[in-house]
Amino acid sequence: MTGNLAHLTLAFGLLGNIVSFMVFLAPIPTFYKVYKKKSTEGFQSAPYVVGLFSAMLWIYYAMLKTNVLLLITINSFGIVIETVYIVFFLFYAPKKARMESLKLIILLIFVGFGLIVVLTQFLASGVTRGVIVGWICLVFSLCVFVAPLGVLRQVIKTKSVEYMPILLSVALTLSAVMWFFYGLLLHDFNIAVPNVLGFTFGIIQIILYFMYKNKKPVIDEKISKLEVKITEMEEQKVPGLTDQKSIDVVKLEALLNTEDLPVVAKNTHNFDHVAVEAQALGNMPTHTIKVGA
């Protein structure tokens, strides 16, 4: 029985590694676009810095335990790939975005992770140290899994799933399932509990995707009102110009349709204007067009 449990734990750990490996590789298309355009445009470095911090935290926790080797393998890869993403981002990011990223790296990686290691090493020992780090990992993972709430709110509000890729949602859900059972079989609730939340939000994302994938997106009300106002202003402005142009064209056609050719006389005393006098038959009025120099 114990042997079967160990094999089952190993199976879920290996599956968790495989799925998490795919999740870590998911941003590659994004960075390929960055490479092609030689610019990070509107992309942010925060997800990759947070991912690096999370991987480092779990590695530290795994080093305090004795039976979570598969947790070390996947998070070691996570540290490498997230570091590559961050370096890539810093290389192509504009100066302002680069400075903000460096501040976040210093705050989260050097200060945050550094303080956790130093304080737990000097203020705790043995099993207590592992418990404290485990709780830190649990709380941080819960915060990371709560982050998609903003995306879910946007999907419900706009009825659009444009910014919620279904493949990534499915991969994250599967990953949460694998790591939940891995933690459960190891009786390690610091691993199992956060993945319950991850699985729940993953299922919600998948349901919302199939609910709204064929729906017409709802334009933000403020943007819609602004566009209507701009359209009204253009409609008020353009007809006036159009009417004036129409009047000028009518006058010019009337002038050109007269039976006698107009006589153009240059005003030698005023070079700013040209007077055009038409000698018409009968009571035909004289047309005068003034052209500004």
Side-chain angles (χ1 to χ4, degrees):
M1 185 68 178
T2 305
N4 291 334
L5 190 63
H7 286 95
L8 196 59
T9 304
L10 177 63
F12 277 110
L14 289 173
L15 289 172
N17 270 252
I18 293 170
V19 178
S20 297
F21 180 82
M22 296 170 60
V23 171
F24 277 128
L25 295 180
I28 286 180
T30 297
F31 282 95
Y32 180 72
K33 293 178 182 178
V34 170
Y35 170 74
K36 294 289 287 185
K37 295 183 178 181
K38 309 299 181 186
S39 172
T40 56
E41 296 183 328
F43 296 113
Q44 302 293 323
S45 64
Y48 313 110
V49 178
V50 170
L52 176 60
F53 177 77
S54 177
M56 293 172 66
L57 205 55
W58 281 111
I59 284 283
Y60 181 48
Y61 174 71
M63 291 174 65
L64 299 175
K65 305 287 286 184
T66 57
N67 56 348
V68 286
L69 178 63
L70 292 175
L71 202 61
I72 295 176
T73 57
I74 189 58
N75 284 289
S76 297
F77 175 75
I79 288 175
V80 173
I81 195 68
E82 297 293 357
T83 302
V84 171
Y85 290 153
I86 292 170
V87 171
F88 202 91
F89 181 91
L90 293 175
F91 185 78
Y92 287 107
K95 184 177 180 181
K96 183 178 179 181
R98 187 182 298 117
M99 294 305 296
E100 290 177 352
S101 299
L102 289 173
K103 290 178 182 177
L104 183 61
I105 292 169
I106 292 171
L107 181 64
L108 203 58
I109 305 301
F110 292 97
V111 177
F113 183 74
L115 282 175
I116 291 172
V117 173
V118 171
L119 292 177
T120 53
Q121 286 293 326
F122 286 97
L123 300 181
S125 61
V127 178
T128 306
R129 184 183 299 152
V131 171
I132 293 173
V133 176
W135 274 100
I136 294 173
C137 290
L138 189 150
V139 172
F140 182 77
S141 296
L142 288 175
C143 293
V144 170
F145 281 124
V146 168
L149 283 176
V151 177
L152 297 181
R153 180 177 176 274
Q154 184 182 16
V155 169
I156 295 171
K157 184 179 180 181
T158 63
K159 301 186 186 303
S160 171
V161 293
E162 181 181 359
Y163 299 105
M164 190 180 74
I166 184 61
L167 292 179
L168 184 58
S169 297
V170 171
L172 289 172
T173 304
L174 290 175
S175 176
V177 171
M178 301 308 168
W179 288 114
F180 166 75
F181 282 109
Y182 180 73
L184 186 65
L185 292 170
L186 286 175
H187 302 289
D188 192 328
F189 295 100
N190 293 319
I191 299 175
V193 171
N195 285 289
V196 174
L197 198 61
F199 171 76
T200 303
F201 284 134
I203 293 297
I204 293 173
Q205 288 183 48
I206 294 171
I207 292 172
L208 288 177
Y209 179 85
F210 285 103
M211 284 179 60
Y212 295 116
K213 69 173 184 176
N214 296 321
K215 294 271 180 122
K216 185 177 180 181
V218 176
I219 302 174
D220 187 87
E221 186 177 354
K222 291 182 179 180
I223 297 176
S224 180
K225 289 182 179 180
L226 180 60
E227 289 179 347
V228 170
K229 186 66 177 177
I230 293 173
T231 303
E232 291 177 353
M233 292 174 65
E234 289 178 348
E235 288 176 352
Q236 292 174 0
K237 183 178 180 181
V238 173
L241 295 174
T242 305
D243 293 343
Q244 184 62 41
K245 290 180 180 178
S246 299
I247 294 171
D248 292 342
V249 170
V250 170
K251 287 182 178 180
L252 187 59
E253 287 180 349
L255 174 63
L256 296 176
N257 289 333
T258 56
E259 295 183 6
D260 290 345
L261 294 174
V263 177
V264 180
K266 182 177 181 181
N267 189 346
T268 57
H269 299 288
N270 187 356
F271 293 100
D272 294 335
H273 299 84
V274 177
V276 181
E277 296 180 354
Q279 298 177 352
L281 293 174
N283 296 325
M284 179 66 71
T286 299
H287 299 275
T288 302
I289 301 177
K290 291 185 179 180
V291 182

